[in-house]
Amino acid sequence: MLVLLPPSEGKSASGRGAPLKPESLSLPGLAGARAAVLDELVGLCAADQEKAREVLGLSEGLRGEIAKNVELRTAGTRLAGEIYTGVLYDALDLASLDAAAKRRAGKSLLVFSGLWGAVRVGDRIPSYRCSMGVRLPGLGALGAYWRDPMARVMPEAAGDGLVLDLRSSAYAAAWKPKGELAERTASVRVLHSQLVDGVEKRSVVSHFNKATKGRMVRDLLVSGARPKGPAELVETLRGLGYVVEAEAPVRAGRPWSLDVVVTEIH
């Protein structure tokens, strides 16, 4: 099983480990594309802070993120699973997993990134600021830039197993599975259900969405479950206590759509 995750806007500070070694990152087929984004991002932030702030969509209070990007090649690194923070990663809580679950996380979790394309949680990276929605002056919109490189490496990364897609729309734009691979992909959204004047109302709420996805991935890792396809994933999640509504694709070459319905986060 391969689990596709979004990154987080907020990130932990760079660590005290050795500086970035691009050749050590997973998915080596992305090396050239990563180098091009890294070169332009560092150059932009070093040359013109105001332009960099505008391009990166940063408020005045986040100006320090620009200096962080300037030092990407020399800053210390940490595991990607420690760099990414926020609601989803707090609920996932990789650090507290037992050894077996951590090994499963290292093999199955892939975090999409505007800077790196995608990394595994065991890759060592510095803290950075560059979302998939950024349009760099030279390379253009990163969501579009990454499509060709990701299309070349993702089929091999996915192998012949289930792909659980938990990415937000901006990161999903960088790679969409096709053909037979799409048919064994399950895309998940989380719906918050509540009664309003006795009538059930459902909505997509960011906190519920992120926290539930993090908790769901954690439960799958801890359980050691290895669903072979979307239909088996539905049964696995239901067995773990989730309310899941599944919609099989009506046409060949399309992913499954799964709704996980929650009333509260615990």
Side-chain angles (χ1 to χ4, degrees):
M1 177 174 64
L2 183 67
V3 181
L4 311 182
L5 296 175
S8 57
E9 287 298 323
K11 299 174 181 68
S12 298
S14 295
R16 296 181 178 180
L20 175 69
K21 296 180 180 178
E23 69 279 4
S24 72
L25 298 180
S26 302
L27 307 182
L30 298 178
R34 286 169 175 154
V37 179
L38 182 63
D39 285 348
E40 183 167 358
L41 181 63
V42 171
L44 170 68
C45 291
D48 189 333
Q49 283 201 5
E50 282 306 315
K51 184 175 182 180
R53 190 166 70 86
E54 179 182 346
V55 168
L56 296 175
L58 300 177
S59 66
E60 179 63 34
L62 292 174
R63 183 180 289 273
E65 299 291 282
I66 298 170
K68 178 191 296 184
N69 284 347
V70 172
E71 299 174 353
L72 282 171
R73 292 192 179 91
T74 58
T77 56
R78 302 174 70 172
L79 298 178
E82 297 174 356
I83 288 288
Y84 297 116
T85 59
V87 175
L88 188 155
Y89 291 92
D90 286 347
L92 175 53
D93 195 8
L94 287 168
S96 70
L97 292 173
D98 63 32
K102 284 181 179 178
R103 286 194 296 271
R104 288 190 283 271
K107 293 178 181 179
S108 63
L109 305 188
L110 195 64
V111 184
F112 272 59
S113 162
L115 175 54
W116 314 115
V119 292
R120 297 194 184 275
V121 293
D123 288 338
R124 299 195 68 92
I125 58 174
S127 188
Y128 67 97
R129 188 69 173 237
C130 183
S131 73
M132 192 66 80
V134 164
R135 179 183 292 273
L136 290 175
L139 297 177
L142 290 177
Y145 170 80
W146 281 111
R147 285 175 195 155
D148 284 346
M150 296 304 294
R152 290 194 293 269
V153 304
M154 283 305 298
E156 181 179 356
D160 58 2
L162 167 71
V163 177
L164 175 54
D165 190 352
L166 303 178
R167 298 172 297 165
S168 56
S169 58
Y171 291 89
W175 177 70
K176 295 182 179 180
K178 297 180 179 180
E180 181 272 336
L181 178 52
E183 294 173 8
R184 50 187 167 88
T185 297
S187 179
V188 175
R189 67 175 181 172
V190 177
L191 298 179
H192 178 214
S193 173
Q194 55 184 331
L195 290 177
V196 179
D197 297 329
V199 178
E200 184 192 24
K201 301 290 186 180
R202 291 182 176 183
S203 59
V204 178
V205 182
S206 178
H207 176 83
F208 285 83
N209 176 56
K210 295 175 182 177
T212 301
K213 286 179 177 178
R215 186 163 55 92
M216 184 172 62
V217 173
R218 180 183 178 85
D219 288 345
L220 287 168
L221 293 172
V222 170
S223 73
R226 301 179 65 181
K228 295 181 173 59
E232 191 173 330
L233 172 67
V234 171
E235 296 308 311
T236 299
L237 290 174
R238 287 173 177 166
L240 291 170
Y242 292 90
V243 177
V244 183
E245 298 175 357
E247 183 179 339
V250 296
R251 288 190 292 173
R254 297 293 181 89
W256 283 55
S257 296
L258 273 58
D259 285 344
V260 175
V261 183
V262 299
T263 56
E264 60 181 8
I265 297 297
H266 55 79

